C-alpha cells in the first residue's frame, strides 16, 4: 500500500478523507494557481492537477490527491467571500433557486513504467429555500461563510436552507470520496476502510 | 421560545439537531408502534406521529419532534438488519442501483387554543455503485450497518459506495432538518441558530 498524501489545506477535505479511516498525510505546496480555462468543470480540474503535481514533485513515491471546488450560479463563478458584505451578496444571489458545485480531483502515483495521472470532476446541483434578509444576516454573523466557496457550508448551520441536492453530497462539501475510491479501484488500487 | 424536545433515541438525529445549535432535550417514550399503512411515506408519518404524541402527553408545553426513517427498494421495505448475514443480504439487494429513503416527521406544540400537529415526510433517492462480495463483507465487518435502516450509514464508511442522491441528504441520515425548520417558520416559529 502506497503512502497517501492529500495536497489540500482544507479542513473539510481532511475530515472527509478521515471518514474513510485510511491513513494519509497532508502536504500543501505554494504552487501558483494558473487558470487557462473558462468552464467551471475544466477550471477545477486544472487547479487540482497543479496542486497534485506540485506535491508529487517532492513526494514521488506517494499517491497524491489534489482537489479544487467552485460554485457556479447564472454563469457566475463564486469563490470564497472577501468580507461579510460579499458573503451576504453571494447568499442573496443564491437563495430561492438552484446552483452548481464543481470539485475537480487529480490522483497521481508512480506506475510500473511512468507517472500515472487521473483527473476528473464531479458536478452537484444544490436547491435552496428562499431566505429572508434577516436569515442571511444572521447566517453571515455566525462567521461560517467566510472561508467557503459560495459563502456557505452545506454540512454546517446552512443545512436548514438546503431543500435538496442532485449528485454527490461530499462533492459539495469539497471532496467526492466515492468517485475518488471508484477511480482508484478502476486502476487496481483498492483502499478498503479499516475495521473498527 | 418553547422548550424543544426530540422524541428519538437515534444518535444521528441528535447530531443533526445539534448542528443547528438550538437548545433541545431528548425524551423517548416506550410507545407501542402500530403500523396501519402500507405505503412507506405513510408508514413513517404515522410512526413519527405516535412517537411525538406519546412524549407530548408528558411534556404538554414543549415543542416535540418525532421522526421515523425507512429504506424502500423494489417494493420491499428495509428496517435495521437482524445480524451480519441480514446486513450483507440487504446490501447485496441495494448495490449497483437506486433506492428510496423516507423520513416521517411530526411537530407538535400547544397553540393558542389547541394542540397543533404537523406531520410530513420527505423522500430521497440514493444511487449506489456496484459492490463486490468482498466490499460488502468488509463493510459489514466494520459493524457500522447493525443499527441502521437498510444496513448502511451514508455519513459513515459507506460514503465510498454512494454515487449520488436526489433530495435532502440529512433526510437519508435520519432527520430532514431543512424541511423541519421551514415547516416551523411557516407556522411562525423561527428557530435561528445561535451565533458562534
Amino acid at each position: 500500500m502506497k503512502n497517501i498524501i492529500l495536497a489540500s489545506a482544507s479542513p473539510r477535505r481532511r475530515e472527509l478523507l478521515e471518514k474513510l479511516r485510511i491513513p494519509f498525510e497532508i502536504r500543501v505546496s505554494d504552487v501558483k494557481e494558473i487558470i487557462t480555462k473558462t468552464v467551471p468543470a475544466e477550471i477545477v480540474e486544472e487547479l487540482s492537477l497543479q496542486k497534485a503535481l506540485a506535491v508529487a514533485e517532492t513526494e514521488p513515491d506517494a499517491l497524491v490527491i489534489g482537489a479544487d471546488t467552485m460554485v457556479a450560479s447564472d454563469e457566475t463563478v463564486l469563490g470564497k467571500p472577501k468580507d461579510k458584505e460579499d458573503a451576504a451578496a453571494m447568499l442573496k444571489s443564491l437563495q430561492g433557486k438552484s446552483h452548481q458545485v464543481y470539485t475537480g480531483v487529480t490522483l497521481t502515483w508512480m506506475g510500473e513504467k511512468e507517472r500515472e495521472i487521473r483527473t476528473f470532476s464531479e458536478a452537484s446541483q444544490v436547491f435552496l429555500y428562499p431566505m429572508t434578509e434577516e436569515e442571511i444576516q444572521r447566517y453571515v454573523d455566525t462567521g461560517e461563510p467566510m472561508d467557503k466557496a459560495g459563502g456557505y457550508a452545506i454540512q454546517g448551520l446552512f443545512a436548514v436552507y438546503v431543500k435538496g441536492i442532485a449528485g454527490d453530497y461530499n462533492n459539495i462539501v469539497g471532496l467526492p470520496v466515492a468517485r475518488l475510491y471508484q477511480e482508484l479501484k478502476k486502476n487496481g488500487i483498492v483502499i478498503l476502510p479499516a475495521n473498527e
Side-chain angles (χ1 to χ4, degrees), chain A:
Chain A
M1 185 73 178
K2 286 171 198 301
N3 275 347
I4 297 172
I5 295 179
L6 177 62
S8 169
S10 156
R12 272 83 59 193
R13 294 205 180 100
R14 193 192 60 220
E15 277 168 34
L16 282 172
L17 211 53
E18 277 170 356
K19 271 192 184 178
L20 307 189
R21 292 200 207 138
I22 51 167
F24 68 94
E25 292 165 67
I26 290 172
R27 295 272 186 287
V28 185
S29 70
D30 55 354
V31 64
K32 193 170 160 53
E33 298 180 8
I34 299 162
I35 298 176
T36 66
K37 310 285 185 179
T38 52
V39 180
E42 295 177 2
I43 295 174
V44 292
E45 286 186 11
E46 78 174 343
L47 291 177
S48 77
L49 179 64
Q50 291 165 18
K51 291 178 184 179
L53 290 184
V55 169
E57 265 181 32
T58 59
E59 301 279 354
D61 296 328
L63 165 62
V64 179
I65 303 167
D68 195 81
T69 300
M70 274 182 183
V71 167
S73 170
D74 301 335
E75 316 282 306
T76 310
V77 173
L78 301 176
K80 297 174 184 178
K82 287 190 296 286
D83 51 31
K84 284 191 169 190
E85 274 182 30
D86 194 25
M90 282 184 184
L91 293 170
K92 203 171 169 180
S93 80
L94 295 177
Q95 63 83 32
K97 57 185 188 183
S98 76
H99 63 270
Q100 285 73 43
V101 179
Y102 296 87
T103 296
V105 177
T106 292
L107 306 170
T108 179
W109 65 94
M110 199 55 78
E112 302 217 346
K113 289 180 183 166
E114 52 184 7
R115 173 157 291 281
E116 303 280 349
I117 301 172
R118 300 288 180 281
T119 297
F120 57 88
S121 62
E122 280 274 313
S124 304
Q125 199 165 8
V126 182
F127 305 85
L128 298 185
Y129 281 108
M131 294 176 78
T132 65
E133 294 276 351
E134 191 199 353
E135 286 172 326
I136 289 175
Q137 205 47 58
R138 279 292 292 261
Y139 181 63
V140 169
D141 286 343
T142 64
E144 196 176 84
M146 296 320 296
D147 58 339
K148 319 281 190 313
Y152 71 88
I154 193 170
Q155 73 281 16
L157 297 168
F158 198 70
V160 295
Y161 305 115
V162 180
K163 196 169 192 170
I165 71 164
D168 181 7
Y169 177 84
N170 294 322
N171 188 53
I172 301 165
V173 181
L175 192 66
V177 284
R179 179 80 183 275
L180 190 159
Y181 171 86
Q182 299 293 336
E183 291 285 336
L184 288 174
K185 183 177 159 187
K186 245 194 271 179
N187 286 281
I189 305 174
V190 179
I191 44 169
L192 283 167
N195 292 3
E196 279 193 281

